[in-house]
Coordinates of all heavy atoms in Angstrom, one line a residue:
M1 N -29.2 6.7 27.7 CA -29.9 6.5 26.4 C -29.0 5.6 25.5 O -27.8 5.9 25.3 CB -30.2 7.8 25.7 CG -31.5 8.5 26.3 SD -32.9 7.6 25.8 CE -34.2 8.7 26.5
T2 N -29.6 4.7 24.9 CA -28.9 3.9 23.9 C -29.1 4.5 22.5 O -30.3 4.6 22.1 CB -29.4 2.4 24.0 OG1 -29.4 2.0 25.3 CG2 -28.5 1.5 23.2
R3 N -28.1 4.8 21.9 CA -28.2 5.4 20.6 C -28.2 4.2 19.6 O -27.1 3.6 19.4 CB -27.1 6.4 20.3 CG -27.7 7.5 19.4 CD -26.6 8.6 19.3 NE -26.0 8.5 18.0 CZ -24.7 8.8 17.7 NH1 -23.9 9.2 18.7 NH2 -24.2 8.7 16.5
K4 N -29.3 4.0 19.0 CA -29.4 2.8 18.1 C -28.8 3.3 16.7 O -29.4 4.2 16.1 CB -30.8 2.4 18.0 CG -30.9 0.9 17.7 CD -32.3 0.4 17.8 CE -32.4 -1.1 17.7 NZ -33.8 -1.5 17.7
S5 N -27.8 2.7 16.3 CA -27.2 3.0 15.0 C -27.5 1.9 14.0 O -27.0 0.9 14.1 CB -25.7 3.2 15.2 OG -25.2 3.4 13.9
S6 N -28.5 2.2 13.2 CA -28.8 1.3 12.1 C -28.1 1.6 10.8 O -28.3 0.9 9.9 CB -30.3 1.2 12.0 OG -30.8 2.5 11.7
K7 N -27.5 2.7 10.8 CA -26.8 3.1 9.6 C -25.6 2.2 9.3 O -24.8 1.9 10.3 CB -26.2 4.5 9.7 CG -27.3 5.6 9.5 CD -26.7 6.9 9.6 CE -27.7 8.0 9.9 NZ -27.0 9.2 10.5
P8 N -25.4 1.8 8.1 CA -24.2 1.0 7.9 C -22.9 1.9 8.0 O -22.9 3.0 7.6 CB -24.4 0.6 6.4 CG -25.3 1.5 5.8 CD -26.2 2.1 6.9
A9 N -21.9 1.3 8.6 CA -20.7 2.0 8.8 C -19.5 1.0 8.3 O -19.6 -0.2 8.6 CB -20.4 2.4 10.2
C10 N -18.6 1.6 7.7 CA -17.4 0.8 7.2 C -16.8 0.0 8.3 O -16.5 0.6 9.4 CB -16.4 1.6 6.5 SG -15.0 0.7 5.9
R11 N -16.5 -1.3 8.1 CA -15.9 -2.1 9.2 C -14.5 -1.7 9.5 O -13.9 -2.1 10.5 CB -16.1 -3.5 8.9 CG -15.3 -4.0 7.6 CD -15.6 -5.4 7.3 NE -15.1 -5.7 6.0 CZ -15.4 -6.9 5.4 NH1 -16.2 -7.8 6.0 NH2 -15.0 -7.2 4.2
V12 N -13.8 -1.0 8.6 CA -12.5 -0.7 8.8 C -12.3 0.8 9.3 O -11.8 1.0 10.4 CB -11.6 -0.8 7.5 CG1 -10.2 -0.3 7.7 CG2 -11.6 -2.3 7.0
C13 N -12.8 1.7 8.6 CA -12.6 3.1 9.0 C -13.8 3.7 9.7 O -13.8 4.8 10.2 CB -12.2 4.0 7.8 SG -13.6 4.2 6.6
G14 N -15.0 3.0 9.6 CA -16.2 3.5 10.3 C -16.9 4.6 9.6 O -17.8 5.2 10.2
C15 N -16.6 4.9 8.3 CA -17.3 5.9 7.6 C -18.7 5.5 7.3 O -19.0 4.3 7.3 CB -16.5 6.3 6.3 SG -16.7 5.0 5.0
T16 N -19.6 6.5 7.2 CA -21.0 6.2 6.8 C -21.4 6.9 5.6 O -20.6 7.7 5.0 CB -21.9 6.7 8.0 OG1 -21.8 8.1 8.1 CG2 -21.5 6.0 9.3
E17 N -22.6 6.7 5.2 CA -23.1 7.3 4.0 C -23.0 8.8 4.0 O -22.7 9.5 3.0 CB -24.5 6.9 3.7 CG -24.8 6.6 2.3 CD -25.9 5.6 2.1 OE1 -25.7 4.4 2.6 OE2 -26.9 6.0 1.5
H18 N -23.2 9.4 5.2 CA -23.2 10.8 5.3 C -21.9 11.4 5.8 O -21.7 12.5 6.0 CB -24.3 11.2 6.3 CG -25.7 10.9 5.8 ND1 -26.2 11.5 4.7 CD2 -26.5 9.9 6.1 CE1 -27.4 11.0 4.4 NE2 -27.6 10.0 5.3
N19 N -20.9 10.5 6.0 CA -19.6 10.9 6.5 C -18.6 10.0 5.8 O -17.9 9.2 6.4 CB -19.6 10.7 8.0 CG -18.3 11.3 8.6 OD1 -17.7 12.1 8.0 ND2 -17.9 10.9 9.8
A20 N -18.5 10.2 4.5 CA -17.6 9.4 3.7 C -16.1 9.8 4.0 O -15.8 10.8 4.6 CB -17.9 9.6 2.2
C21 N -15.3 8.9 3.5 CA -13.8 9.2 3.6 C -13.5 10.5 2.9 O -14.1 10.9 1.9 CB -13.0 8.0 3.0 SG -13.3 6.5 3.9
E22 N -12.4 11.1 3.4 CA -12.1 12.4 2.8 C -11.8 12.4 1.3 O -12.1 13.4 0.6 CB -10.9 13.0 3.6 CG -9.7 12.0 3.7 CD -8.8 12.4 4.9 OE1 -9.3 12.4 6.0 OE2 -7.6 12.6 4.7
E23 N -11.3 11.3 0.8 CA -11.0 11.2 -0.6 C -12.2 10.6 -1.4 O -12.1 10.4 -2.6 CB -9.7 10.5 -0.9 CG -9.7 9.1 -0.5 CD -9.2 8.9 0.9 OE1 -9.7 9.6 1.8 OE2 -8.4 8.0 1.1
G24 N -13.3 10.4 -0.7 CA -14.4 9.9 -1.3 C -14.4 8.4 -1.3 O -13.4 7.7 -1.5
C25 N -15.6 7.8 -1.2 CA -15.7 6.3 -1.3 C -17.1 5.9 -1.5 O -18.0 6.6 -1.4 CB -15.2 5.7 0.0 SG -16.1 6.2 1.5
F26 N -17.3 4.6 -1.8 CA -18.6 4.0 -2.0 C -18.6 2.6 -1.4 O -17.5 2.1 -1.1 CB -19.0 4.0 -3.4 CG -17.9 3.3 -4.3 CD1 -18.1 2.0 -4.5 CD2 -16.9 4.0 -4.9 CE1 -17.1 1.3 -5.3 CE2 -16.0 3.4 -5.7 CZ -16.1 2.1 -5.9
W27 N -19.8 2.1 -1.1 CA -19.8 0.8 -0.6 C -19.4 -0.3 -1.7 O -19.8 -0.2 -2.8 CB -21.2 0.4 -0.1 CG -21.7 1.3 1.0 CD1 -22.9 2.0 0.9 CD2 -21.1 1.6 2.2 NE1 -23.0 2.8 2.1 CE2 -21.9 2.5 2.9 CE3 -19.9 1.1 2.9 CZ2 -21.6 3.0 4.2 CZ3 -19.6 1.5 4.1 CH2 -20.5 2.5 4.8
V28 N -18.6 -1.2 -1.2 CA -18.2 -2.3 -2.1 C -19.1 -3.5 -1.8 O -19.6 -3.7 -0.6 CB -16.7 -2.6 -2.1 CG1 -15.9 -1.4 -2.5 CG2 -16.3 -3.1 -0.7
R29 N -19.2 -4.4 -2.7 CA -20.0 -5.6 -2.5 C -19.3 -6.5 -1.5 O -18.1 -6.8 -1.7 CB -20.2 -6.3 -3.8 CG -21.2 -7.4 -3.8 CD -21.1 -8.1 -5.1 NE -21.7 -7.4 -6.2 CZ -22.9 -7.6 -6.7 NH1 -23.6 -8.6 -6.1 NH2 -23.4 -7.0 -7.6
V30 N -20.0 -6.9 -0.5 CA -19.4 -7.9 0.5 C -20.4 -9.1 0.6 O -21.5 -9.0 0.2 CB -19.2 -7.2 1.9 CG1 -18.1 -6.2 1.8 CG2 -20.5 -6.6 2.4
E31 N -19.9 -10.1 1.2 CA -20.7 -11.3 1.5 C -21.9 -10.8 2.4 O -21.8 -9.9 3.2 CB -19.9 -12.4 2.2 CG -18.9 -13.0 1.3 CD -17.6 -12.2 1.2 OE1 -17.5 -11.1 1.9 OE2 -16.7 -12.6 0.5
A32 N -23.0 -11.5 2.2 CA -24.2 -11.1 2.9 C -24.1 -11.0 4.4 O -24.7 -10.2 5.0 CB -25.3 -12.1 2.5
H33 N -23.3 -11.9 4.9 CA -23.2 -12.0 6.4 C -22.1 -11.1 6.9 O -21.8 -11.1 8.2 CB -23.0 -13.4 6.8 CG -21.8 -14.1 6.2 ND1 -22.0 -14.7 5.0 CD2 -20.6 -14.2 6.6 CE1 -20.8 -15.1 4.6 NE2 -19.9 -14.9 5.6
S34 N -21.3 -10.4 6.1 CA -20.2 -9.6 6.6 C -20.6 -8.2 6.6 O -21.5 -7.7 6.0 CB -19.0 -9.9 5.8 OG -19.2 -9.5 4.4
K35 N -19.8 -7.4 7.4 CA -20.1 -6.0 7.6 C -19.7 -5.2 6.4 O -19.0 -5.6 5.6 CB -19.4 -5.5 8.8 CG -19.9 -6.1 10.1 CD -19.1 -5.6 11.3 CE -19.5 -6.4 12.6 NZ -18.4 -6.3 13.6
P36 N -20.3 -4.0 6.3 CA -20.0 -3.1 5.2 C -18.5 -2.8 5.1 O -17.8 -2.7 6.1 CB -20.8 -1.9 5.5 CG -21.8 -2.2 6.5 CD -21.3 -3.4 7.3
L37 N -18.2 -2.5 3.9 CA -16.8 -2.2 3.6 C -16.8 -1.1 2.5 O -17.6 -1.2 1.5 CB -16.0 -3.4 3.1 CG -14.6 -3.2 2.8 CD1 -13.8 -2.9 4.0 CD2 -14.0 -4.5 2.1
C38 N -16.1 0.0 2.7 CA -16.0 1.0 1.7 C -14.9 0.9 0.7 O -14.0 0.2 1.0 CB -16.1 2.4 2.3 SG -14.5 3.0 2.8
S39 N -15.1 1.6 -0.4 CA -14.1 1.4 -1.5 C -12.7 1.8 -1.0 O -11.7 1.2 -1.5 CB -14.5 2.2 -2.7 OG -14.7 3.5 -2.3
A40 N -12.6 2.8 -0.2 CA -11.3 3.3 0.3 C -10.6 2.2 1.1 O -9.4 2.2 1.1 CB -11.5 4.6 1.1
C41 N -11.3 1.3 1.7 CA -10.7 0.3 2.5 C -10.7 -1.1 1.9 O -10.2 -2.0 2.5 CB -11.5 0.2 3.9 SG -11.4 1.7 4.8
S42 N -11.3 -1.2 0.8 CA -11.3 -2.5 0.1 C -9.9 -2.8 -0.5 O -9.1 -1.9 -0.6 CB -12.4 -2.5 -1.0 OG -12.0 -1.7 -2.1
G43 N -9.7 -3.9 -0.8 CA -8.4 -4.3 -1.4 C -7.4 -4.7 -0.3 O -7.6 -4.4 0.8
T44 N -6.4 -5.5 -0.7 CA -5.5 -6.0 0.2 C -4.3 -5.0 0.3 O -4.2 -4.1 -0.5 CB -4.9 -7.3 -0.3 OG1 -4.3 -7.1 -1.6 CG2 -6.1 -8.3 -0.5
P45 N -3.5 -5.2 1.3 CA -2.3 -4.3 1.5 C -1.5 -4.3 0.2 O -0.9 -3.4 -0.2 CB -1.5 -4.9 2.6 CG -2.6 -5.5 3.5 CD -3.7 -6.0 2.6
R46 N -1.5 -5.5 -0.5 CA -0.8 -5.6 -1.7 C -1.3 -4.6 -2.8 O -0.6 -4.0 -3.5 CB -0.8 -7.0 -2.2 CG 0.4 -7.4 -3.0 CD 0.3 -8.9 -3.4 NE 0.9 -9.7 -2.4 CZ 1.3 -10.9 -2.6 NH1 1.2 -11.4 -3.8 NH2 1.8 -11.7 -1.7
D47 N -2.7 -4.5 -2.8 CA -3.3 -3.6 -3.7 C -2.8 -2.2 -3.5 O -2.6 -1.4 -4.3 CB -4.8 -3.6 -3.6 CG -5.4 -4.9 -4.1 OD1 -4.8 -5.5 -5.0 OD2 -6.4 -5.3 -3.6
V48 N -2.7 -1.9 -2.2 CA -2.3 -0.5 -1.8 C -0.9 -0.2 -2.2 O -0.6 0.9 -2.7 CB -2.4 -0.4 -0.2 CG1 -1.9 1.0 0.2 CG2 -3.9 -0.5 0.2
V49 N -0.1 -1.2 -2.2 CA 1.3 -1.0 -2.6 C 1.2 -0.7 -4.2 O 2.0 0.2 -4.6 CB 2.1 -2.3 -2.4 CG1 3.5 -2.2 -3.1 CG2 2.4 -2.5 -0.9
E50 N 0.4 -1.4 -4.9 CA 0.2 -1.2 -6.3 C -0.2 0.2 -6.6 O 0.2 0.9 -7.5 CB -0.8 -2.2 -6.8 CG -1.0 -2.1 -8.3 CD 0.3 -2.4 -9.1 OE1 1.2 -3.2 -8.7 OE2 0.4 -1.8 -10.2
V51 N -1.2 0.7 -5.7 CA -1.7 2.0 -5.9 C -0.5 3.0 -5.7 O -0.4 4.0 -6.5 CB -2.8 2.3 -4.9 CG1 -3.2 3.8 -4.8 CG2 -4.1 1.6 -5.2
C52 N 0.3 2.9 -4.7 CA 1.4 3.7 -4.4 C 2.3 3.8 -5.7 O 2.8 4.9 -6.1 CB 2.2 3.2 -3.3 SG 1.3 3.4 -1.7
R53 N 2.6 2.6 -6.3 CA 3.4 2.5 -7.4 C 2.8 3.3 -8.6 O 3.5 4.1 -9.3 CB 3.5 1.1 -7.9 CG 4.5 0.3 -7.0 CD 5.2 -0.8 -7.9 NE 5.9 -1.6 -7.0 CZ 5.5 -2.9 -6.7 NH1 4.3 -3.3 -7.2 NH2 6.2 -3.6 -5.8
R54 N 1.5 3.2 -8.7 CA 0.8 4.0 -9.8 C 0.9 5.5 -9.6 O 1.1 6.2 -10.5 CB -0.6 3.6 -9.9 CG -0.7 2.3 -10.9 CD -2.2 1.9 -11.0 NE -2.3 0.5 -11.0 CZ -3.4 -0.2 -10.8 NH1 -4.5 0.4 -10.6 NH2 -3.4 -1.5 -10.9
V55 N 0.7 5.8 -8.4 CA 0.8 7.3 -8.1 C 2.1 7.8 -8.4 O 2.3 8.8 -9.1 CB 0.4 7.5 -6.6 CG1 0.8 8.9 -6.2 CG2 -1.0 7.2 -6.2
R56 N 3.1 7.0 -8.1 CA 4.5 7.4 -8.3 C 4.8 7.6 -9.9 O 5.4 8.5 -10.3 CB 5.5 6.5 -7.7 CG 6.8 7.1 -7.3 CD 7.6 6.2 -6.5 NE 7.8 4.9 -7.2 CZ 8.4 3.8 -6.6 NH1 8.8 3.9 -5.4 NH2 8.4 2.7 -7.3
S57 N 4.3 6.6 -10.6 CA 4.5 6.6 -12.0 C 3.7 7.7 -12.7 O 4.2 8.3 -13.7 CB 4.2 5.2 -12.6 OG 2.8 5.0 -12.7
V58 N 2.6 8.0 -12.2 CA 1.9 9.2 -12.7 C 2.7 10.5 -12.5 O 2.8 11.3 -13.4 CB 0.5 9.3 -12.1 CG1 -0.1 10.7 -12.4 CG2 -0.4 8.2 -12.6
F59 N 3.2 10.6 -11.4 CA 4.1 11.7 -11.1 C 5.2 11.9 -12.1 O 5.5 12.9 -12.6 CB 4.6 11.7 -9.6 CG 3.7 12.1 -8.5 CD1 3.7 11.5 -7.3 CD2 2.6 13.0 -8.8 CE1 2.8 11.9 -6.3 CE2 1.7 13.4 -7.8 CZ 1.8 12.8 -6.6
R60 N 5.8 10.8 -12.3 CA 7.0 10.7 -13.2 C 6.5 11.1 -14.7 O 7.1 11.8 -15.3 CB 7.6 9.3 -13.3 CG 8.5 9.1 -12.1 CD 9.6 8.0 -12.5 NE 10.1 7.4 -11.3 CZ 10.0 6.2 -10.9 NH1 9.3 5.4 -11.8 NH2 10.5 5.7 -9.8
K61 N 5.4 10.5 -15.1 CA 4.9 10.6 -16.4 C 4.7 12.1 -16.7 O 5.0 12.5 -17.8 CB 3.6 9.8 -16.5 CG 3.1 9.7 -18.0 CD 1.9 8.8 -18.0 CE 1.2 8.9 -19.3 NZ 0.0 8.1 -19.3
F62 N 4.1 12.8 -15.8 CA 3.8 14.2 -16.1 C 4.9 15.1 -15.6 O 4.7 16.3 -15.6 CB 2.4 14.5 -15.4 CG 1.3 13.8 -16.1 CD1 0.8 12.7 -15.5 CD2 0.8 14.3 -17.3 CE1 -0.3 12.1 -16.1 CE2 -0.3 13.6 -17.9 CZ -0.8 12.5 -17.3
G63 N 6.0 14.6 -15.2 CA 7.1 15.4 -14.7 C 6.8 16.3 -13.6 O 7.3 17.4 -13.5
I64 N 5.9 15.9 -12.7 CA 5.5 16.7 -11.6 C 6.6 16.7 -10.5 O 6.9 15.5 -10.1 CB 4.1 16.2 -11.0 CG1 3.1 16.3 -12.0 CG2 3.8 17.1 -9.7 CD1 1.7 15.7 -11.6
V65 N 7.2 17.8 -10.3 CA 8.2 17.8 -9.3 C 7.8 18.7 -8.1 O 7.9 18.3 -7.0 CB 9.5 18.4 -9.9 CG1 10.6 18.4 -8.9 CG2 9.9 17.5 -11.1
I66 N 7.3 19.9 -8.5 CA 6.8 20.8 -7.5 C 5.7 20.2 -6.7 O 4.8 19.6 -7.3 CB 6.3 22.1 -8.2 CG1 7.4 22.7 -9.0 CG2 5.9 23.2 -7.1 CD1 6.9 23.7 -10.1
D67 N 5.8 20.3 -5.4 CA 4.7 19.8 -4.5 C 4.5 18.3 -4.5 O 3.6 17.8 -3.9 CB 3.4 20.5 -4.9 CG 3.0 21.6 -3.9 OD1 3.9 21.9 -3.0 OD2 1.9 22.1 -4.0
T68 N 5.3 17.6 -5.2 CA 5.1 16.2 -5.3 C 5.2 15.6 -3.9 O 4.4 14.7 -3.5 CB 6.2 15.5 -6.2 OG1 6.0 16.0 -7.5 CG2 6.0 14.0 -6.2
A69 N 6.2 16.1 -3.1 CA 6.3 15.5 -1.8 C 5.0 15.8 -0.9 O 4.6 14.9 -0.2 CB 7.5 16.2 -1.1
G70 N 4.5 17.0 -1.1 CA 3.3 17.4 -0.3 C 2.1 16.5 -0.7 O 1.5 16.0 0.1
I71 N 1.9 16.4 -2.0 CA 0.8 15.5 -2.4 C 1.0 14.1 -2.0 O 0.1 13.4 -1.5 CB 0.7 15.6 -4.0 CG1 0.3 17.0 -4.4 CG2 -0.3 14.6 -4.5 CD1 0.5 17.3 -5.9
A72 N 2.2 13.6 -2.2 CA 2.5 12.2 -1.9 C 2.3 12.0 -0.4 O 1.8 10.9 0.0 CB 3.9 11.8 -2.3
N73 N 2.7 12.9 0.4 CA 2.4 12.8 1.9 C 1.0 12.6 2.2 O 0.6 11.8 3.0 CB 3.0 14.0 2.6 CG 4.5 13.8 2.9 OD1 4.9 12.7 3.1 ND2 5.2 14.9 3.2
V74 N 0.2 13.5 1.6 CA -1.3 13.4 1.8 C -1.8 12.0 1.4 O -2.5 11.4 2.2 CB -2.0 14.5 1.1 CG1 -3.5 14.3 1.3 CG2 -1.6 15.9 1.7
V75 N -1.5 11.7 0.2 CA -2.0 10.4 -0.4 C -1.5 9.2 0.4 O -2.3 8.4 0.9 CB -1.6 10.3 -1.8 CG1 -2.0 8.9 -2.4 CG2 -2.3 11.3 -2.7
L76 N -0.2 9.2 0.7 CA 0.4 8.0 1.3 C -0.1 8.0 2.8 O -0.2 7.0 3.4 CB 1.9 8.0 1.2 CG 2.4 7.9 -0.2 CD1 3.9 7.9 -0.3 CD2 1.9 6.6 -0.9
G77 N -0.2 9.2 3.4 CA -0.6 9.2 4.8 C -2.0 8.6 5.0 O -2.2 7.8 5.9
A78 N -2.9 9.0 4.0 CA -4.2 8.4 4.1 C -4.2 6.9 3.9 O -4.9 6.2 4.6 CB -5.1 9.1 3.0
L79 N -3.4 6.5 2.9 CA -3.3 5.1 2.6 C -2.7 4.3 3.8 O -3.2 3.2 4.2 CB -2.4 4.8 1.5 CG -3.0 5.1 0.1 CD1 -2.0 5.0 -1.0 CD2 -4.1 4.1 -0.2
L80 N -1.7 4.9 4.5 CA -1.1 4.2 5.6 C -2.1 4.1 6.8 O -2.1 3.0 7.4 CB 0.1 5.0 6.1 CG 1.4 4.7 5.4 CD1 2.5 5.6 5.9 CD2 1.8 3.2 5.6
R81 N -2.9 5.1 7.0 CA -3.9 5.0 8.0 C -4.8 3.9 7.7 O -5.2 3.1 8.6 CB -4.7 6.3 8.1 CG -4.1 7.4 8.9 CD -5.1 8.3 9.5 NE -6.1 8.8 8.6 CZ -6.0 9.8 7.7 NH1 -4.9 10.5 7.7 NH2 -7.0 10.1 6.9
R82 N -5.1 3.7 6.5 CA -6.0 2.6 6.1 C -5.4 1.2 6.3 O -6.0 0.3 6.8 CB -6.4 2.7 4.6 CG -7.3 3.9 4.4 CD -8.7 3.5 4.0 NE -9.6 4.5 4.5 CZ -9.5 5.8 4.1 NH1 -8.6 6.1 3.3 NH2 -10.4 6.6 4.6
I83 N -4.2 1.1 5.9 CA -3.4 -0.2 6.0 C -3.4 -0.5 7.5 O -3.7 -1.7 7.9 CB -2.0 -0.1 5.5 CG1 -2.1 0.2 3.9 CG2 -1.3 -1.4 5.7 CD1 -0.7 0.6 3.4
E84 N -3.1 0.5 8.3 CA -3.0 0.1 9.7 C -4.3 -0.3 10.3 O -4.4 -1.3 11.1 CB -2.5 1.4 10.5 CG -0.9 1.4 10.4 CD -0.4 2.8 10.8 OE1 -1.2 3.6 11.4 OE2 0.8 3.1 10.5
A85 N -5.3 0.4 10.0 CA -6.7 0.0 10.4 C -7.1 -1.3 9.9 O -7.7 -2.2 10.6 CB -7.7 1.1 9.9
R86 N -6.7 -1.6 8.7 CA -7.0 -2.8 8.1 C -6.3 -4.0 8.8 O -6.9 -5.0 9.1 CB -6.5 -2.8 6.6 CG -6.7 -4.1 5.9 CD -8.0 -4.2 5.3 NE -8.2 -5.5 4.7 CZ -8.9 -5.8 3.6 NH1 -9.4 -4.8 2.9 NH2 -9.0 -7.0 3.1
I87 N -5.0 -3.8 9.1 CA -4.3 -4.8 9.7 C -4.8 -5.1 11.2 O -5.0 -6.2 11.6 CB -2.8 -4.5 9.8 CG1 -2.2 -4.5 8.4 CG2 -2.0 -5.4 10.8 CD1 -0.8 -3.8 8.2
K88 N -5.2 -4.0 11.8 CA -5.8 -4.1 13.1 C -7.1 -4.9 13.0 O -7.4 -5.8 13.8 CB -6.1 -2.8 13.7 CG -5.1 -2.4 14.8 CD -5.5 -1.1 15.4 CE -4.4 -0.1 15.5 NZ -4.8 1.3 15.6
A89 N -7.9 -4.5 12.0 CA -9.2 -5.2 11.9 C -9.0 -6.7 11.5 O -9.7 -7.6 12.0 CB -10.0 -4.5 10.8
D90 N -8.0 -6.9 10.8 CA -7.7 -8.4 10.4 C -7.3 -9.1 11.7 O -7.8 -10.3 11.8 CB -6.4 -8.4 9.5 CG -6.9 -8.4 8.0 OD1 -8.1 -8.6 7.8 OD2 -6.0 -8.1 7.2
A91 N -6.5 -8.5 12.5 CA -6.1 -9.2 13.8 C -7.3 -9.5 14.6 O -7.4 -10.5 15.3 CB -5.1 -8.4 14.5
N92 N -8.3 -8.6 14.6 CA -9.5 -8.8 15.5 C -10.6 -9.7 14.8 O -11.6 -10.0 15.4 CB -10.1 -7.5 15.8 CG -9.2 -6.6 16.7 OD1 -8.4 -7.2 17.4 ND2 -9.3 -5.3 16.6
N93 N -10.3 -9.9 13.5 CA -11.4 -10.6 12.8 C -10.7 -11.7 11.9 O -10.5 -11.6 10.8 CB -12.0 -9.5 11.9 CG -13.2 -10.1 11.1 OD1 -13.6 -11.3 11.3 ND2 -13.8 -9.3 10.3
P94 N -10.5 -12.9 12.6 CA -9.9 -14.0 11.8 C -10.9 -14.7 10.9 O -10.6 -15.8 10.5 CB -9.4 -14.9 13.0 CG -10.3 -14.6 14.1 CD -10.9 -13.2 13.9
D95 N -12.0 -14.0 10.6 CA -13.0 -14.6 9.7 C -12.4 -14.9 8.3 O -11.8 -13.9 7.8 CB -14.1 -13.5 9.6 CG -15.3 -14.1 9.0 OD1 -15.2 -15.1 8.2 OD2 -16.4 -13.5 9.1
A96 N -12.6 -16.0 7.9 CA -12.1 -16.4 6.6 C -12.7 -15.6 5.4 O -12.1 -15.5 4.3 CB -12.2 -17.8 6.4
T97 N -13.9 -15.0 5.6 CA -14.5 -14.3 4.6 C -14.0 -12.9 4.4 O -14.3 -12.2 3.4 CB -16.0 -14.1 4.8 OG1 -16.2 -13.4 6.0 CG2 -16.7 -15.5 5.0
W98 N -13.1 -12.5 5.3 CA -12.5 -11.2 5.2 C -11.6 -11.1 4.0 O -10.6 -11.7 3.8 CB -11.7 -11.0 6.5 CG -10.9 -9.7 6.4 CD1 -9.6 -9.5 6.1 CD2 -11.4 -8.4 6.8 NE1 -9.3 -8.2 6.2 CE2 -10.3 -7.5 6.6 CE3 -12.6 -7.9 7.3 CZ2 -10.5 -6.2 6.9 CZ3 -12.8 -6.6 7.5 CH2 -11.7 -5.7 7.3
G99 N -12.1 -10.2 3.0 CA -11.3 -9.8 1.8 C -10.1 -10.7 1.4 O -10.1 -11.9 1.6
G100 N -9.2 -10.1 0.8 CA -7.9 -10.7 0.5 C -7.9 -12.0 -0.3 O -6.9 -12.7 -0.3
R101 N -9.0 -12.2 -1.0 CA -8.9 -13.5 -1.8 C -8.6 -13.2 -3.2 O -8.9 -12.1 -3.7 CB -10.3 -14.2 -1.7 CG -10.3 -15.0 -0.5 CD -11.7 -15.6 -0.4 NE -12.7 -14.5 -0.5 CZ -14.1 -14.8 -0.4 NH1 -14.5 -16.0 -0.5 NH2 -14.9 -13.9 -0.5
Ligands
LIG1 ZN1 -13.7 2.5 5.0
LIG2 ZN1 -15.1 5.2 3.5

């Protein structure tokens, strides 16, 4: 049996409307001819670095010390998975319309 999947799925992580990313996401606007992309996977690796910096500065600002490592591990782990998926997807998809502009 061929399972026809007409549901949009994120081109990077494969999440769908009913199975969103663990930290939550929404569809971001993409070019009409390109595949869906969710908010968790949008942005360039450079953006992700920026996010990491912000997370770190928030920790500092509020003087969070306890559990910082645990929280950071979860956040950074999820981000790293995305970066890796993104880089892989980039390698398979030399399409010039792919993000990063
Ligand atoms: Zn995604
Ligand atoms: Zn997602």
Side-chain angles (χ1 to χ4, degrees):
M1 279 288 185
T2 312
R3 216 174 102 212
K4 213 174 186 180
S5 172
S6 56
K7 280 184 203 158
C10 174
R11 61 184 169 191
V12 176
C13 67
C15 71
T16 64
E17 220 152 298
H18 297 290
N19 187 21
C21 294
E22 50 206 55
E23 64 269 47
C25 62
F26 53 89
W27 299 123
V28 297
R29 191 189 283 262
V30 290
E31 290 82 3
H33 55 276
S34 59
K35 290 179 189 160
L37 181 67
C38 83
S39 58
C41 299
S42 69
T44 62
R46 211 176 269 204
D47 291 333
V48 175
V49 170
E50 183 59 33
V51 168
C52 293
R53 282 210 192 103
R54 271 181 219 165
V55 169
R56 210 173 49 187
S57 74
V58 167
F59 282 150
R60 276 207 204 115
K61 190 173 167 188
F62 292 100
I64 299 169
V65 180
I66 303 159
D67 254 8
T68 297
I71 295 165
N73 269 337
V74 172
V75 172
L76 297 180
L79 282 172
L80 272 178
R81 277 207 314 273
R82 292 250 149 57
I83 298 169
E84 278 163 15
R86 172 90 188 216
I87 289 166
K88 252 185 235 161
D90 269 345
N92 295 332
N93 186 3
D95 188 343
T97 62
W98 174 263
R101 276 178 303 177

